[in-house]
Amino acid sequence: MKHLRIAALLAAAVLALLPAPAQAATYPDPVRITGQQIIHDPTVIRLNSGEYAAYSTGGVIGARLSADGRHWNDAGNAFASPPSWWYQYNDTGDPWAPDISYRAGRYWLYYAVSSWGTNHSAIGVATSASGRPGTWTDQGKVFSSETTDSWNAIDPAITSAGGRLWMAFGSYWTGIRMVELNRTTGKAISGATVHHLATRPDAPYAVEGPYILKRGGHYYLFASYDACCAGVNSTYKIRVGRSTSVTGPYVDSAGRSLLSGGGDLLLAGHGRYVGTGGQSVFRDRGQDWLAYHYYDAQDAGTPKLGLNRLAWTASGWPRVA
């Protein structure tokens, strides 16, 4: 018995020296919403009227409206019909991944037109005094890419920095890029330098859907990594890096460059919430909110709207709350 007790004590001592088993990452569920929940690649804003608007991929830029940010109603589309120039980029005039912002007394809605698997793509812009569906006037093409380019002009995201206007964009084709825009027209300046912000070291360089948020002395680049658009088989997840310059270099909290595959994991699929991505950030009553889509594993993989408040650590990094 003495030998057994000694053996047990030795075994316990060895186990105490071993590293603890890795714990699976846990993420908070999105806030509960009601009404029309189906959405893909959402961009959300609180309008000057006090109403919330969400625009998305689907339809002629699908629209949702809400009085409180929790109960959402289908509000049709941004446009009654596709502008004719969209058909240069796909046969159905199908727009993708809009981005809404407010500047110079009006709302600006950027969007992409393209076809799956090609970088023959373009980003356009429309303006509105109210930001409501049905009030948008298309202003035409902002920037484009062709099959000879190493970037893809989709997934626009607009940010201001130092009195200048910038547009991040990109998907695969070496990842996330950025160009400067003319503040008056909202379109790419002539001969704009195409800056490189993020990519992956492994083909097919699966990073896309940028969004850039200015907070304190840093610009934060949020992007979607891995595969979307496959329902419950989607592997989308959201990563983030930051820079003191809007054009980079962007690094994660360990100092790894986002041009070398870095990026802190902010949100990944969990439970019924599969393939979290297509994200944007909006500010409401002094709080930052992350808007994204997920594929509902309890509803045949239907894409739905996810909303989570963003909290910030003492060292200045976002986390999903």
Side-chain angles (χ1 to χ4, degrees):
M1 292 295 292
K2 180 178 180 181
H3 294 299
L4 290 175
R5 287 196 298 271
I6 292 172
L9 289 171
L10 287 171
V14 169
L15 287 173
L17 294 173
L18 294 175
Q23 298 296 312
T26 58
Y27 302 97
D29 294 344
V31 299
R32 182 176 180 273
I33 64 171
T34 57
Q36 177 56 275
Q37 300 178 44
I38 299 173
I39 207 164
H40 207 278
D41 305 320
T43 180
V44 179
I45 195 170
R46 191 177 187 208
L47 303 172
N48 289 338
S49 65
E51 199 170 27
Y52 296 83
Y55 289 95
S56 67
T57 297
V60 197
I61 307 182
R64 313 283 185 268
L65 293 173
S66 174
D68 59 5
R70 296 294 181 271
H71 181 81
W72 293 86
N73 297 305
D74 191 333
N77 298 280
F79 298 99
S81 59
S84 59
W85 71 268
W86 291 7
Y87 293 98
Q88 299 171 34
Y89 294 93
N90 61 56
D91 293 338
T92 57
D94 182 29
W96 296 352
D99 174 83
I100 191 170
S101 56
Y102 183 78
R103 179 176 59 83
R106 55 182 173 167
Y107 294 91
W108 300 73
L109 187 66
Y110 287 77
Y111 56 84
V113 281
S114 185
S115 297
W116 191 266
T118 178
N119 64 332
H120 172 60
S121 311
I123 292 168
V125 66
T127 55
S128 167
S130 70
R132 291 177 57 84
T135 67
W136 295 95
T137 300
D138 190 59
Q139 305 295 343
K141 192 183 303 185
V142 171
F143 187 73
S144 63
S145 61
E146 297 300 337
T147 56
T148 53
D149 292 318
S150 60
W151 56 79
N152 193 13
I154 69 169
D155 295 0
I158 308 304
T159 191
S160 293
R164 298 160 72 180
L165 190 66
W166 300 87
M167 180 177 72
F169 65 92
S171 162
Y172 293 58
W173 275 274
T174 70
I176 306 302
R177 302 279 181 155
M178 172 176 274
V179 292
E180 186 176 359
L181 305 181
N182 180 298
R183 289 192 66 86
T184 301
T185 65
K187 299 181 179 183
I189 63 174
S190 179
T193 298
V194 180
H195 301 274
H196 203 182
L197 306 187
T199 191
R200 300 279 287 276
D202 51 328
Y205 316 109
V207 51
E208 61 187 1
Y211 188 87
I212 293 180
L213 172 70
K214 176 69 160 59
R215 186 177 189 274
H218 288 94
Y219 297 90
Y220 291 82
L221 170 59
F222 300 79
S224 296
Y225 283 57
D226 297 325
C228 88
C229 313
V232 294
N233 295 316
S234 302
T235 57
Y236 243 12
K237 55 185 66 70
I238 302 169
R239 293 186 180 272
V240 63
R242 72 182 185 185
S243 173
T244 54
S245 168
V246 72
T247 57
Y250 286 86
V251 299
D252 62 22
S253 61
R256 296 171 298 183
S257 171
L258 268 63
L259 285 169
S260 301
D264 287 352
L265 184 58
L266 180 71
L267 181 64
H270 55 287
R272 70 186 293 180
Y273 309 100
V274 177
T276 53
Q279 75 292 323
S280 58
V281 180
F282 69 99
R283 192 158 181 83
D284 182 32
R285 296 183 174 92
Q287 295 286 341
D288 295 316
W289 287 84
L290 182 71
Y292 57 94
H293 68 251
Y294 65 89
Y295 301 93
D296 191 344
Q298 295 182 11
D299 189 15
T302 301
K304 295 183 179 180
L305 177 62
L307 296 173
N308 285 83
R309 186 175 59 84
L310 282 181
W312 296 86
T313 69
S315 55
W317 288 94
R319 61 177 180 84
V320 177

